[in-house]
Amino acid sequence: MTDSGPVGSVASISVYPVKSLGGRTVAAAQVDDAGLRGDRAWSVVDAGTGERVTVKTTPALREVVATGDAEADTATLTAVLGRPVRLAHSDTGPQVDAAAVHLVSRGALARAATGEVPEGCSAEDPRANLVLQLAGDVDERSWVGRRLQVGEALLEVVRTPKHCLGVYAEVRRPGRVAEGDAVVLSG
């Protein structure tokens, strides 16, 4: 594969501090080997059973945005869910299901708005870390097996999600990513 050059820019960056909860938009983020720093570092756990509570079984989680204050977030979650829960910190890095970074283009969001959305995916909140503004009719689904320079970080696109929009990527070189940074595709 050959270098393709710039294909767009970073439109927005989201970090989800607590897995399954709503995320918060940031102007810049440090991308470490395991993904965006602070992303999915915590999970919601049932206080009685110790089992993880996920958005798949408890959709109300998506409506709660973590504040970063574990005590306040626990109180809010307990009230919203109507049962005692606690937050559990991951000592092994982000708790991701598929890959370190989830990227979605505004084009994918536009396609989803017209009905082209996988079952179980929310076009309003695809839970992506990076939303990209791509040039012309560029479709990120064609990037599997290729590398992206995004800001200072080098990512390798490893697959398309089965249940959501965009693509998943692994980190090949950590670095800082900010809104407006160029997205450069290479072989």
Side-chain angles (χ1 to χ4, degrees):
M1 290 181 220
T2 60
D3 288 349
S4 294
V7 293
S9 62
V10 177
S12 66
I13 303 167
S14 294
V15 175
Y16 299 85
V18 180
K19 186 169 177 61
S20 294
L21 296 191
R24 62 178 193 250
T25 302
V26 296
Q30 179 65 32
V31 180
D32 295 325
D33 287 326
L36 277 68
R37 190 172 291 167
D39 191 52
R40 296 169 175 96
W42 298 83
S43 62
V44 180
V45 176
D46 184 285
T49 66
E51 292 182 26
R52 190 161 48 169
V53 180
T54 67
V55 74
K56 289 179 185 175
T57 59
T58 314
L61 289 175
R62 182 174 277 135
E63 305 307 317
V64 179
V65 177
T67 66
D69 178 330
E71 189 174 316
D73 290 341
T74 299
T76 298
L77 285 163
T78 295
V80 168
L81 301 179
R83 63 179 167 152
V85 295
R86 63 181 173 80
L87 295 182
H89 188 267
S90 170
D91 295 327
T92 59
Q95 301 172 68
V96 296
D97 296 327
V101 181
H102 182 191
L103 303 97
V104 174
S105 70
R106 286 190 169 159
L109 295 172
R111 287 190 302 274
T114 64
E116 188 182 326
V117 60
E119 184 178 334
C121 181
S122 168
E124 292 80 37
D125 181 18
R127 306 189 61 71
N129 297 116
L130 303 177
V131 175
L132 308 177
Q133 178 65 50
L134 301 179
D137 61 354
V138 173
D139 185 339
E140 70 271 21
R141 295 175 292 187
S142 67
W143 296 346
V144 175
R146 300 193 67 191
R147 291 186 176 208
L148 291 174
Q149 178 76 38
V150 184
E152 297 172 352
L154 180 64
L155 308 176
E156 183 173 350
V157 178
V158 293
R159 71 180 186 89
T160 57
K162 293 179 183 170
H163 67 284
C164 208
L165 307 174
V167 293
Y168 287 133
E170 294 297 345
V171 179
R172 297 302 176 228
R173 186 180 63 239
R176 184 177 183 274
V177 174
E179 287 180 3
D181 279 350
V183 176
V184 180
L185 181 65
S186 64

